[in-house]
Amino acid sequence: MNVLIFGPNGSGKGTQGAVVQKKYNITHVESGVIFRENIKGGTELGKKAKEFIDRGDLVPDDITIPMILNRLKEKDCENGWLLDGFPRNSEQGKAMHEALEKENMKLDFVIEIILDREIAKKRIMGRRLCVNDNNHPNNIYIDAIKPAEKDGKMVCRVCGGELSARADDQDETAINKRHDIYYDTATGTLASVHYFKELSKKDSSIKVIELDGTPGVKEVSEELMGKLD
Ligand code: AMP
């Protein structure tokens, strides 16, 4: 089972990806995670990628494309993969398609989480982390998971713990840059989504799943589970 998952930053793509990964027991390949691990490990790749990542720019294709295509050939991907964060532009989309053909790999699902740009931005900027548990959902812009109030202070709605915001969630310039790339239908990520949707019209073995990302994470997961085989 091989799956591509698309969705803007703030759409809950990571959470929904985990649902797919678990259901099929396939390897979750996340381009952003691979870069972050390389930066942490101080590798050559990490050193090259860091300046681009810090600015919110894409790491150049000549670094990213071979990195991901080689990763998909590793042993733990034999049983299938869920690719998250790649392809992110038209060039990567084309390279992905060529690699699928060359390696005789089948693509089973293309999942797209659709979310309005302003809502996606609010989701990121409104996210608050609970000191007691990262999985306690709190967001100042989402009514269903609005933090509670205690002595005039915002606290975790689940346990009353202290809340904080992640620094990179508050960097509006970097968020805008990443969304500029995602929502670009000419050469950005949405161009790539379109490319694979068109491909599915010619190849009926590729199934497209479009999900409305507006409801809560749980509702979106339920819809997704209902649409997977
Ligand atoms: P993410 O965790 O997916 O948001 O990725 C974090 C950062 O890694 C991005 O802002 C890019 O700088 C870089 N990155 C991740 N995936 C790609 C990709 N497919 N192409 C180029 N750069 C990428």
Side-chain angles (χ1 to χ4, degrees):
M1 180 68 61
N2 298 324
V3 184
L4 291 179
I5 187 163
F6 295 98
N9 229 231
S11 65
K13 174 168 56 80
T15 312
Q16 306 309 342
V19 169
V20 180
Q21 189 270 333
K22 227 170 157 186
K23 177 169 166 84
Y24 297 118
N25 193 21
I26 49 182
T27 299
H28 198 168
V29 177
E30 291 172 272
S31 49
V33 170
I34 301 177
F35 283 130
R36 282 191 286 277
E37 280 172 1
N38 275 279
I39 292 173
K40 216 166 137 194
T43 67
E44 269 314 301
L45 174 73
K47 279 179 204 150
K48 278 190 213 156
K50 190 174 182 322
E51 57 170 310
F52 298 97
I53 292 176
D54 284 347
R55 286 199 304 261
D57 289 329
L58 288 187
V59 177
D61 287 340
D62 61 344
I63 300 175
T64 310
I65 292 174
M67 175 185 91
I68 293 296
L69 298 183
N70 287 330
R71 177 69 188 87
L72 297 182
K73 285 188 214 158
E74 284 178 32
K75 191 130 191 71
D76 62 345
C77 287
E78 267 175 12
N79 203 16
W81 42 258
L82 167 75
L83 187 50
D84 178 340
F86 185 98
R88 231 161 162 121
N89 60 24
S90 310
E91 276 310 305
Q92 294 182 6
K94 262 184 236 147
M96 183 75 217
H97 182 199
E98 279 165 19
L100 286 168
E101 292 200 320
K102 195 169 145 227
E103 304 297 330
N104 221 359
M105 268 189 289
K106 205 172 145 293
L107 180 61
D108 298 282
F109 286 108
V110 174
I111 300 173
E112 179 191 13
I113 305 177
I114 301 166
L115 191 63
D116 172 79
R117 181 169 175 162
E118 273 311 302
I119 300 177
K121 186 171 164 182
K122 276 192 163 174
R123 289 240 179 118
I124 300 169
M125 299 198 76
R127 189 155 53 188
R128 294 294 178 270
L129 299 180
C130 169
V131 279
N132 297 325
D133 190 336
N134 257 342
N135 292 316
H136 287 172
N138 287 276
N139 193 304
I140 60 170
Y141 295 126
I142 302 176
D143 282 339
I145 53 169
K146 248 200 174 93
E149 231 187 276
K150 199 177 151 198
D151 304 329
K153 239 180 90 187
M154 269 191 319
V155 291
C156 175
R157 51 184 282 279
V158 181
C159 70
E162 218 174 284
L163 293 177
S164 66
R166 238 170 63 181
D168 57 343
D169 281 352
Q170 304 304 306
D171 184 345
E172 205 170 342
T173 313
I175 294 169
N176 283 339
K177 238 185 199 177
R178 283 153 82 162
H179 280 167
D180 280 347
I181 297 166
Y182 187 85
Y183 289 96
D184 174 357
T185 53
T187 58
T189 311
L190 282 184
S192 220
V193 176
H194 180 74
Y195 186 88
F196 281 95
K197 280 185 179 169
E198 287 299 305
L199 204 63
S200 77
K201 289 180 188 163
K202 289 177 230 150
D203 179 350
S204 60
S205 68
I206 305 174
K207 290 196 197 81
V208 175
I209 297 180
E210 289 177 348
L211 298 168
D212 174 9
T214 324
V217 168
K218 206 167 139 255
E219 286 90 337
V220 179
S221 293
E222 278 164 12
E223 198 195 338
L224 174 58
M225 285 304 271
K227 287 183 169 173
L228 293 168
D229 292 336

